[in-house]
Amino acid sequence: MNVTTNRSQAIESAIESLDGAFFKALCEPPRVAVLKRVMQLGRADVTAIAADLPQERSVVSRHLQVLLDAGIVRATKVGRQVFYEVDGPAIVKRLEDILYHTKSIASLCCPGGSP
């Protein structure tokens, strides 16, 4: 394998680690407010999460679905209720992957720092 191939593969891996769903889920302030509420409550259903938020329960539910799809929260169904909680290990893993891949391409595509 040549340097160009290694560089291309490293860049592709880094871009892949910057998964759009993860950052999309965190880019809207109302969704971050929902995440903050889940963090404050621990394990809670949508009614409890929406209680102190300005959005309608249905909007909070959609935000929770985006966070769930991005792997930021996890959901557990108990009877007819769904309880949400932050998936800390999944978030840490995603951030570690991003850091690992970013470090691997930094010298290839983004030289800088002190001379």
Side-chain angles (χ1 to χ4, degrees):
M1 230 181 268
N2 62 36
V3 173
T4 304
T5 302
N6 287 340
R7 180 174 190 240
S8 294
Q9 288 177 336
I11 291 169
E12 284 302 315
S13 293
I15 296 301
E16 199 173 295
S17 76
L18 298 172
D19 175 61
F22 184 76
F23 287 110
K24 178 185 174 191
L26 299 174
C27 74
E28 289 188 33
R31 194 169 300 125
V32 173
V34 170
L35 177 60
K36 181 179 177 182
R37 184 82 175 122
V38 174
M39 288 176 164
Q40 291 169 336
L41 294 172
R43 185 173 182 259
D45 67 0
V46 68
T47 302
I49 296 165
D52 290 336
L53 294 171
Q55 299 97 348
E56 297 289 326
R57 186 177 161 212
S58 62
V59 174
V60 171
S61 184
R62 285 194 299 271
H63 285 313
L64 286 166
Q65 186 61 50
V66 172
L67 293 168
L68 181 66
D69 292 344
I72 295 169
V73 300
R74 60 179 162 234
T76 307
K77 191 169 185 175
V78 178
R80 294 176 60 192
Q81 278 187 298
V82 178
F83 292 90
Y84 297 89
E85 60 189 328
V86 174
D87 192 344
I91 294 171
V92 169
K93 173 78 170 103
R94 178 68 59 95
L95 293 173
E96 287 174 342
D97 287 348
I98 291 167
L99 183 59
Y100 171 80
H101 289 295
T102 303
K103 281 181 173 182
S104 72
I105 65 160
S107 64
L108 298 172
C109 72
C110 317
S114 305

